[in-house]
Amino acid sequence: MAEYKDDNNKKQILVTGGAGYIGSHCVLALLKQGYNVVIFDNLSTGHIETVNSLKKYGNVDFYQGDLLNYSYLNTVFKQIAVDAVIHFAACSQVGESVKNPQKYYINNVCGTLNLLKAMLENNVKKIVFSSTAAIYGEPQYTPINEEHPLNPINPYGQTKLMIEKIMEDYDKAYGLSSVRFRYFNVAGADSKGIVGEWHEPETHLIPKILASTHSNERTFEIYGNNYKTKDGTCIRDYINVEDLAEAHVLALKYLENGGKTNFFNLGTNEGSSVKEVFKLCEEIAGKKINVIIRQKREGDPAILVADNSKAKDILGWQPEKKLMQSIKTAYKWGIINAR
Ligand code: UDP
């Protein structure tokens, strides 16, 4: 606990989706900085065990609720003093969003509209929002900067882009300031193993490879090996989840200091191929895994790499951890929590 500041900074942050993967790492980063945190989460994909772990590290209140239930949400805002909101709660599976767009438009867009309404009604005017690189769609050049055209190719990306536009309009009309972060591929777990990635089912590359090292078959499927890349497999920019969480704290401080509505990529400027990630995972786990080559996954572009210079220049953010560290912490988390 020593490295966690006392709650001398009494600012209280409402974190929607704080029981989930990225949200929980952000809560830890806030607690380290002495913020009080209120988690609002419906636990549809987040976990009560995560909330209970977080409670050991600072002042955390938890409200189980759904953003679609406006009256409950508004009651929570009335009960507590909220200085700012960090908004993670959303459905986030691309494939599912194509099959069931209604779920995504209702949950993500209507849920956020309710959240913004409650904020305005209770005079809360600062929000940090988790957007996605999926709003850029098929890359027209790489690395991708924030000027890249916005052309999402699936309903998930559409919902995030709609919300970004809504936030722009709310700023102009109501003075609601936002920082929107466009995440690239988030990876790793916190270095102490307090929280980590826990999706059911797991669809992401690194936890899937690592899980296969524990299974009897020890097989792993690569989706496509004839992309126009150095080794034929897709290239992605893997940003460490603790580095990503730090950016949210910086964004809060930026808004607290009067910073204007803005949007930033969060990535590392470096790309790694699926095969490279796979090799590193084998190395860290010390096990060989059999690879099966499958068809390309629909909607997977060959290369997605961020240009992160804007976040560096304006927020002073600097990602520090390498992919190897993300895989190591993910592996440790997987071992502790083998399910
Ligand atoms: N991928 C893969 N096998 C898997 C899961 C993912 O080859 O079992 C590839 C996927 O095609 C993509 C990369 O790994 O190129 C990262 O996928 P992930 O689902 O982790 O993140 P996304 O890029 O979809 O946000």
Side-chain angles (χ1 to χ4, degrees):
M1 288 274 304
E3 73 184 82
Y4 289 79
K5 287 185 189 161
D6 221 6
D7 67 334
N8 49 11
N9 177 344
K10 290 285 182 195
K11 287 222 160 61
Q12 181 141 266
I13 312 302
L14 184 95
V15 181
T16 75
Y21 170 45
I22 301 174
S24 59
H25 287 82
C26 189
V27 171
L28 263 189
L30 291 169
L31 296 175
K32 277 187 193 169
Q33 293 292 319
Y35 286 95
N36 294 343
V37 175
V38 178
I39 295 175
F40 188 92
D41 197 303
N42 65 7
L43 297 185
S44 63
T45 53
H47 304 277
I48 192 65
E49 293 88 337
T50 302
V51 175
N52 292 336
S53 301
L54 292 168
K55 281 184 170 172
K56 295 179 196 146
Y57 295 88
N59 284 337
V60 179
D61 278 338
F62 173 58
Y63 290 85
Q64 184 172 354
D66 198 302
L67 294 175
L68 294 175
N69 182 349
Y70 180 75
S71 69
Y72 180 63
L73 179 64
N74 196 28
T75 312
V76 173
F77 267 91
K78 298 228 176 295
Q79 267 174 32
I80 55 174
V82 178
D83 291 288
V85 173
I86 306 187
H87 179 31
F88 296 99
C91 300
S92 63
Q93 287 189 28
V94 170
E96 187 190 42
S97 80
V98 176
K99 292 198 188 93
N100 190 0
Q102 179 171 253
K103 176 175 173 186
Y104 279 68
Y105 286 107
I106 292 180
N107 241 299
N108 294 2
V109 182
C110 299
T112 304
L113 284 169
N114 275 348
L115 176 65
L116 299 179
K117 184 176 170 190
M119 287 176 66
L120 292 177
E121 181 158 336
N122 294 282
N123 204 28
V124 180
K125 296 284 185 72
K126 297 181 192 74
I127 185 164
V128 179
F129 173 59
S130 76
S131 185
T132 168
I135 67 172
Y136 296 119
E138 198 61 48
Q140 294 180 15
Y141 56 83
T142 183
I144 295 174
N145 60 14
E146 289 84 354
E147 306 309 313
H148 187 283
L150 302 173
N151 197 11
I153 54 171
N154 52 61
Y156 166 65
Q158 293 285 8
T159 65
K160 293 284 181 175
L161 179 56
M162 284 178 184
I163 297 166
E164 287 216 21
K165 291 190 166 157
I166 290 167
M167 288 182 174
E168 281 290 333
D169 290 341
Y170 277 39
D171 180 29
K172 288 185 196 118
Y174 313 122
L176 191 143
S177 313
S178 61
V179 167
R180 288 116 53 187
F181 281 132
R182 297 165 182 176
Y183 305 157
F184 282 68
N185 287 58
V186 187
D190 88 281
S191 19
K192 303 235 164 57
I194 301 164
V195 286
E197 193 162 6
W198 180 358
H199 294 120
E200 284 164 357
E202 187 51 76
T203 60
H204 292 114
L205 180 66
I206 294 172
K208 270 183 81 179
I209 302 173
L210 294 175
S212 74
T213 66
H214 306 303
S215 71
N216 294 334
E217 305 92 52
R218 279 207 210 149
T219 55
F220 170 71
E221 298 175 338
I222 290 185
Y223 301 146
N225 67 347
N226 60 353
Y227 283 95
K228 288 201 176 85
T229 57
K230 51 187 169 186
D231 62 18
T233 63
C234 284
I235 291 180
R236 294 287 179 273
D237 181 339
Y238 295 90
I239 173 72
N240 178 273
V241 68
E242 286 188 302
D243 283 340
L244 186 99
E246 282 308 319
H248 294 70
V249 178
L250 291 173
L252 267 188
K253 297 199 163 143
Y254 164 86
L255 291 174
E256 280 164 12
N257 292 329
K260 288 193 174 23
T261 286
N262 217 329
F263 47 91
F264 304 95
N265 286 340
L266 292 182
T268 67
N269 288 19
E270 280 173 35
S272 305
S273 74
V274 173
K275 277 191 183 161
E276 287 170 338
V277 173
F278 177 77
K279 283 264 156 274
L280 282 174
C281 289
E282 274 193 332
E283 214 176 296
I284 286 162
K287 287 181 185 153
K288 284 272 160 219
I289 307 156
N290 301 314
V291 172
I292 303 171
I293 304 295
R294 294 277 184 223
Q295 295 280 71
K296 288 179 178 179
R297 200 169 58 175
E298 216 181 307
D300 262 350
I303 303 178
L304 273 178
V305 177
D307 175 340
N308 66 8
S309 45
K310 188 176 171 194
K312 284 184 179 166
D313 292 346
I314 296 180
L315 298 178
W317 178 70
Q318 177 70 51
E320 275 160 11
K321 297 190 172 66
K322 297 277 170 219
L323 176 58
M324 183 69 131
Q325 282 164 284
S326 297
I327 298 177
K328 277 186 181 160
T329 51
Y331 185 63
K332 186 170 140 198
W333 168 254
I335 298 270
I336 302 171
N337 297 281
R339 296 178 185 93

